[in-house]
């Protein structure tokens, strides 16, 4: 397993993820996605949305606002229960999670666990609510208090009736949402794993009471398979069912899909059976009946809810870690991110073999412009070909296309009108007519290297 500092350094060096407000010394547990990071994260969100919403007949989407009525958080239980036990150090003024002291570091030197320096004076643990508090409007008084949402789920529950009725949905059906959530996390610093501002990709799947256990299992299987579909190695994924005393205040049952992150097995996504907790709570606090009329039994019921709740940032980190490989090629170290082509930030790099040959450059530019219509493609001529390949390997570009003298011809030889396509993972190459590059790429992006290779053969090793 790759060490986290290698991932952090690659992310900064190659424009995936930067510390927020870095030039001011950074903002704790907040991160900025650079040019390649935003592509990767967007691709993950797009794949999730397509697979969870658009390609199913029983799901619809929603985009609710981050700021909600403060009573939402009373009803949901977050105001009363969404808290972590914290201790403060009276000497260094640090604040640490009482249940994670072994992961924390005291700011006094040498670096030790809080409480281990002679001078440390830790308070008794106290519960601190994890919600960010703010004020709506010009007056900063109790009546104006508002919270940044700590989960996107509540935006779905409070819109249950709007969505069900406007779309005339029949059980079972789900509502999906991707959006920012905020928590005042005290973090032990595992890069983006636990941030204060992060994106969730949540599904609330409403079912008939009594069918909830079946749907819980189905969603667990579905979500586990989703990570494997986009390339995460199965041996790095596992399921962990929560013990009764670990369950969140709303959950009847929860299992985490865990990933083997560099710091050990940790939650990647949670799948919970929230039963009818949320709809009943909102019915009680809002005074609206949030029920569903079942045509078959002619009865009104409160649906049960299965919630697969994934983090876009944690997912991005897992895909980055899992894709990372260090290999030795001809005595040299090669770093490669073996992203699934759908997730790769750049799909194709077009590389002219001789940047001083105007015909090669023109052909390469034209090809790149053409490929860009369909795939995120880049043109690069700023180094030797070996270096350009390594650069693209390091950011996970699945295919490089080179245009060379043979493509355009010279005084000695006629043009063959072909370009070389190189595969990132096996580093094999094929030679393909310019006119078929688009069609070949379609097949390659679909995982068809073996077939394309059989047709076009090896050009160079
Ligand atoms: N609605 C249920 C819910 O929010 P959760 O287990 O607290 O459950 C779900 O969060 C997912 O959101 C986690 O599995 C994780 O992927 C992501 N997540 C939660 N807190 C996070 C944080 N502080 N930083 C990054 N991702 C986080």
């Amino acid at each position: 397993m790759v060490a986290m500092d290698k991932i952090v350094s690659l992310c900064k060096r190659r424009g995936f993820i930067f510390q927020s407000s870095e030039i001011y010394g950074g903002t704790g547990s907040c991160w900025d996605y650079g040019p390649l990071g935003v592509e990767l994260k967007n691709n993950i969100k797009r794949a999730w949305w397509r697979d969870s919403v658009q390609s199913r007949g029983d799901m619809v989407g929603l985009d609710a606002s981050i700021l909600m009525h403060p009573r939402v958080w009373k009803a949901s239980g977050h105001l009363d229960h969404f808290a972590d036990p914290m201790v403060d150090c009276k000497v260094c003024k640090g604040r640490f999670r009482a249940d994670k002291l072994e992961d924390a570091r005291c700011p006094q030197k040498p670096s030790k666990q809080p409480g281990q320096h002679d001078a440390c004076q830790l308070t008794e643990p106290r519960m601190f609510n994890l919600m960010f508090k703010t004020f709506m409007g010009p007056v900063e008084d109790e009546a104006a208090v508002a919270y940044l949402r700590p989960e996107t789920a509540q935006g779905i529950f409070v819109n249950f009736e709007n969505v069900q009725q406007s779309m005339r949905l029949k059980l079972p059906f789900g509502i999906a949402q991707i959006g920012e959530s905020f928590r005042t996390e005290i973090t032990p610093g595992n890069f983006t794993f636990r941030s204060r501002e992060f994106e969730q990709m949540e599904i609330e799947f409403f079912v008939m009471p009594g069918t909830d256990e079946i749907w819980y299992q189905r969603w667990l299987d579905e979500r586990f398979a989703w990570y494997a579909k986009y390339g995460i190695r199965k041996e790095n994924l596992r399921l962990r069912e929560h013990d009764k005393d670990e369950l969140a205040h709303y959950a009847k049952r929860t299992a985490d899909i865990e990933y083997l992150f560099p710091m050990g097995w940790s939650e990647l996504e949670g799948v919970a059976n929230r039963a009818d907790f949320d709809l009943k709570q909102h019915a009680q606090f809002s005074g609206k009946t949030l029920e569903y009329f079942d045509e078959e039994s002619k009865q009104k019921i409160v649906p049960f809810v299965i919630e697969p709740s994934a983090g876009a940032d944690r997912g991005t980190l897992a895909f980055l870690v899992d894709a990372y490989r260090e290999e030795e090629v001809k005595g040299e170290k090669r770093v490669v991110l073996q992203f699934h082509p759908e997730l790769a930030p750049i799909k194709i790099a077009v590389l002219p073999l001789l940047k001083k040959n105007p015909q090669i450059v023109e052909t390469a530019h034209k090809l790149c412009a053409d490929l860009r219509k369909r795939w995120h493609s880049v043109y690069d001529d700023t180094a030797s070909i070996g270096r350009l390949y390594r650069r693209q390997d390091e950011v996970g570009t699945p295919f490089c296309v080179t245009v060379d003298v043979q493509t355009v011809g010279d005084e000695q030889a006629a043009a063959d009108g072909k370009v070389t396509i190189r595969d990132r993972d096996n580093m094999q190459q094929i030679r393909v007519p310019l006119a078929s590059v688009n069609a070949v790429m379609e097949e390659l992006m679909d995982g068809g290297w073996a077939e394309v290779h059989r047709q076009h053969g090896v050009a160079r090793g």
Side-chain angles (χ1 to χ4, degrees):
M1 179 56 63
V2 53
M4 191 70 101
D5 52 3
K6 282 199 178 170
I7 296 291
V8 177
S9 134
L10 173 79
C11 281
K12 179 170 159 64
R13 194 161 30 88
R14 300 309 314 272
F16 281 91
I17 302 172
F18 311 122
Q19 168 85 73
S20 161
S21 317
E22 193 183 306
I23 59 168
Y24 286 97
T27 315
S29 304
C30 296
W31 302 94
D32 297 342
Y33 286 79
L36 297 192
V38 68
E39 295 291 340
L40 174 63
K41 190 167 149 188
N42 278 345
N43 291 341
I44 291 168
K45 290 191 285 182
R46 204 173 294 121
W48 182 90
W49 190 262
R50 198 193 42 242
D51 294 343
S52 308
V53 182
Q54 295 169 331
S55 63
R56 295 176 63 108
D58 55 2
M59 292 278 305
V60 291
L62 181 75
D63 186 8
S65 71
I66 289 171
L67 294 170
M68 302 177 75
H69 196 289
R71 297 246 317 150
V72 166
W73 307 112
K74 188 70 189 159
S76 69
H78 283 84
L79 266 178
D80 298 327
H81 303 292
F82 196 54
D84 278 339
M86 302 288 183
V87 293
D88 290 303
C89 178
K90 290 182 187 161
V91 177
C92 72
K93 309 291 176 212
R95 177 168 286 176
F96 314 97
R97 266 181 73 167
D99 55 340
K100 298 256 187 289
L101 278 183
E102 65 282 6
D103 296 334
R105 283 287 157 263
C106 174
Q108 299 183 69
K109 298 286 171 253
S111 174
K112 285 187 184 176
Q113 184 178 317
Q116 289 188 340
H117 279 282
D118 291 343
C120 288
Q121 282 186 42
L122 299 187
T123 59
E124 284 301 305
R126 280 180 295 163
M127 297 305 279
F128 282 94
N129 196 285
L130 290 176
M131 282 197 292
F132 273 87
K133 214 172 182 180
T134 184
F135 299 95
M136 290 248 242
V139 186
E140 297 193 359
D141 62 10
E142 267 310 297
V145 166
Y147 299 93
L148 302 189
R149 68 181 176 202
E151 61 170 13
T152 63
Q154 298 305 322
I156 299 181
F157 294 126
V158 300
N159 276 296
F160 169 77
E161 199 176 67
N162 282 336
V163 176
Q164 191 264 325
Q165 292 186 358
S166 60
M167 304 304 285
R168 297 182 303 282
L169 298 172
K170 300 253 176 291
L171 289 183
F173 69 87
I175 306 176
Q177 173 163 227
I178 299 179
E180 298 271 351
S181 292
F182 302 82
R183 297 182 189 175
T184 58
E185 304 272 14
I186 305 289
T187 68
N190 286 319
F191 198 24
T192 57
F193 179 82
R194 199 178 297 286
S195 318
R196 294 195 166 118
E197 176 184 342
F198 54 97
E199 271 186 284
Q200 290 186 306
M201 309 189 289
E202 296 204 292
I203 294 169
E204 306 304 326
F205 198 80
F206 300 93
V207 303
M208 290 294 280
T211 63
D212 50 309
E213 283 297 314
I214 298 169
W215 279 105
Y216 173 76
Q217 191 55 49
R218 269 191 206 162
W219 274 109
L220 261 184
D221 296 344
E222 179 107 351
R223 293 302 306 147
F224 195 91
W226 189 80
Y227 290 102
K229 174 179 170 187
Y230 289 100
I232 294 213
R233 283 163 286 180
K234 286 208 178 107
E235 64 269 26
N236 292 337
L237 289 169
R238 73 176 188 194
L239 285 179
R240 191 183 66 81
E241 183 91 23
H242 282 208
D243 292 334
K244 283 266 175 292
D245 59 354
E246 245 187 298
L247 288 174
H249 61 273
Y250 50 73
K252 180 180 163 195
R253 217 177 143 182
T254 298
D256 288 344
I257 299 173
E258 292 191 332
Y259 177 71
L260 187 54
F261 285 97
M263 66 284 186
W265 288 102
S266 310
E267 175 186 345
L268 175 58
E269 167 163 355
V271 178
N273 182 345
R274 292 178 81 127
D276 53 6
F277 176 84
D278 302 272
L279 290 182
K280 278 194 169 155
Q281 287 291 106
H282 286 303
Q284 187 193 328
F285 278 75
S286 67
K288 304 259 184 250
T289 48
L290 298 178
E291 292 171 334
Y292 171 86
F293 182 71
D294 179 34
E295 300 282 354
E296 218 171 279
S297 64
K298 305 286 180 222
Q299 279 188 350
K300 285 185 175 169
I301 55 131
V302 180
F304 270 36
V305 177
I306 307 303
E307 177 196 64
S309 174
D313 306 85
R314 221 172 263 187
T316 302
L317 182 60
F319 281 112
L320 267 164
V321 168
D322 216 81
Y324 187 94
R325 308 273 194 290
E326 278 178 20
E327 296 172 356
E328 202 176 293
V329 179
K330 295 181 188 150
E332 275 185 36
K333 189 176 105 175
R334 162 174 112 121
V335 171
V336 55
L337 289 179
Q338 289 194 348
F339 288 131
H340 186 289
E342 286 237 13
L343 304 189
I346 300 167
K347 314 292 185 205
I348 304 164
V350 179
L351 316 171
L353 214 60
L354 290 174
K355 68 173 175 186
K356 294 216 170 104
N357 179 320
Q359 266 182 298
I360 292 182
V361 169
E362 194 193 333
T363 309
H365 271 303
K366 259 199 203 148
L367 176 63
C368 191
D370 192 37
L371 290 169
R372 247 185 223 130
K373 291 180 196 152
R374 169 84 179 73
W375 297 283
H376 185 212
S377 307
V378 296
Y379 175 96
D380 195 0
D381 65 4
T382 56
S384 67
I385 190 68
R387 225 166 206 217
L388 292 178
Y389 281 154
R390 293 290 175 271
R391 263 190 214 161
Q392 295 301 329
D393 290 344
E394 208 185 21
V395 298
T397 307
F399 302 106
C400 289
V401 183
T402 45
V403 179
D404 55 27
V405 179
Q406 246 179 297
T407 316
V408 297
D410 60 8
E411 306 87 57
Q412 273 108 51
D416 72 356
K418 289 182 174 180
V419 291
T420 304
I421 300 178
R422 170 191 182 264
D423 180 282
R424 172 197 66 201
D425 300 339
N426 58 28
M427 291 178 287
Q428 289 180 351
Q429 303 182 358
I430 52 176
R431 211 152 159 89
V432 171
L434 264 170
S436 11
V437 174
N438 264 283
V440 167
M441 277 298 170
E442 280 294 347
E443 212 177 328
L444 289 178
M445 295 289 173
D446 259 358
W449 179 265
E451 176 52 24
V452 174
H453 195 263
R454 195 183 59 71
Q455 282 177 33
H456 297 276
V458 182
R460 297 185 195 91

